[in-house]
Amino acid sequence: MAATDTSRPVRAARAAALLVIVALVLLGTAQAATAALPPISARSYIVVQPDTGDVVASRNPSGERPIASTTKMMTALLSIEHARPSDVFRVASYNLSPGESTAGLRAGEKMRVGDLLRALMLPSANEAAVTLAIGVAGSQARFVKMMNQRARQLGLRHTHFGNPIGLDVGANHSSARDLAKLAQVLRANAFLRATMNMRRATLHSGPVGRVVVNRNSLVQEIGWVDGVKTGHTTLAGFVLVEEQDERWGRFG
């Protein structure tokens, strides 16, 4: 099943997350941590105070579940660790299935890694994920091995990757607790931190400049949300990893 992202489920997260969100990670501040949380109907979630690691609230935080396009957080991390934003990769050939997320990149185009990461994190482009994987590791299979090795290094005990996109194939799963850890590692990188908080970005490499839009409607509509990543597949349901800006002291 294709890994897709839509704005509709993210709006649902503000209204008790509905029943379809299966992993909710909110990275809050000390003041927010003491605020009353709204009702959350997600099957699995965790609310973490990142500077102390304190768990403010949780439900089945170690439960292993499919994670859809939040998989791309690890794809982004490995890409920034093994390539520079100025490096150039050739867009890989990838056959998009109906409904898959895309930035409209064409096979053979030369794109800077920085632009590929923006395409990966904002519109959640699957062809960008494949291109980064092949550009970094030479093949998707080798990149997946790197993903799982990095997960072990980070202590993500309930995480296993089967592909760099988040497709519902193979053993591709994680937990709310592991996603929270991964999000904090991701946001320690200045480039990725700035990227995931963009409402839109212009891609300047490739033959034609493109504007890509962040599908996370919380980033689009709420000033204190700074990312991180959304995801959706039929098997995973709707998945949200979010951070709250430290300048704001309340939820919702």
Side-chain angles (χ1 to χ4, degrees):
M1 180 62 193
T4 61
D5 289 289
T6 66
S7 59
R8 185 160 46 105
V10 180
R11 290 194 182 94
R14 291 186 299 178
L18 298 186
L19 292 172
V20 290
I21 296 178
V22 296
L24 176 61
V25 183
L26 302 176
L27 306 179
T29 65
Q31 190 175 1
T34 61
L37 290 173
I40 298 174
S41 57
R43 296 179 184 178
S44 179
Y45 71 86
I46 191 169
V47 181
V48 178
Q49 169 59 30
D51 58 353
T52 64
D54 291 342
V55 176
V56 178
S58 67
R59 176 185 298 144
N60 191 25
S62 297
E64 296 178 357
R65 305 192 60 82
I67 57 170
S69 282
T70 58
T71 296
K72 293 181 174 107
M73 292 195 300
M74 181 61 85
T75 302
L77 179 62
L78 284 178
S79 297
I80 205 69
E81 289 179 341
H82 292 272
R84 295 168 296 188
S86 59
D87 289 345
V88 176
F89 291 166
R90 193 178 293 275
V91 175
S93 178
Y94 178 71
N95 294 321
L96 289 158
S97 299
E100 287 197 47
S101 301
T102 178
L105 307 183
R106 297 192 297 272
E109 290 182 354
K110 293 182 178 180
M111 301 289 295
R112 286 193 290 269
V113 167
D115 280 344
L116 289 168
L117 285 168
R118 294 180 186 101
L120 180 82
M121 296 300 290
L122 301 184
S124 199
N126 288 0
E127 74 271 29
V130 171
T131 298
L132 287 165
I134 294 174
V136 167
S139 72
Q140 290 191 66
R142 284 194 289 270
F143 189 80
V144 170
K145 289 182 180 178
M146 292 173 62
M147 295 172 78
N148 287 314
Q149 181 181 24
R150 192 72 176 99
R152 291 191 295 271
Q153 291 172 348
L154 293 173
L156 307 184
R157 298 173 55 194
H158 301 283
T159 297
H160 185 274
F161 296 105
N163 58 81
I165 295 173
L167 302 176
D168 290 336
V169 293
N172 197 84
H173 61 259
S174 187
S175 67
R177 189 186 303 277
D178 281 1
L179 289 177
K181 292 180 181 179
L182 180 57
Q184 291 179 68
V185 174
L186 209 66
R187 287 193 58 81
N189 180 275
F191 180 89
L192 296 179
R193 186 170 62 250
T195 297
M196 66 183 69
N197 193 32
M198 290 178 171
R199 294 180 179 180
R200 63 183 61 233
T202 299
L203 309 185
H204 295 287
S205 57
V208 180
R210 299 177 176 90
V211 175
V212 293
V213 177
N214 196 332
R215 293 189 176 217
N216 187 338
S217 63
L218 292 177
V219 172
Q220 295 287 354
E221 299 173 11
I222 302 177
W224 48 261
V225 174
D226 293 340
V228 176
K229 192 72 184 74
T230 63
H232 172 257
T233 65
T234 299
L235 186 61
F238 297 119
V239 188
L240 172 64
V241 181
E242 175 191 328
E243 180 174 21
Q244 177 176 336
D245 193 308
E246 63 182 7
R247 294 171 297 177
W248 294 79
R250 58 185 175 82
F251 288 100

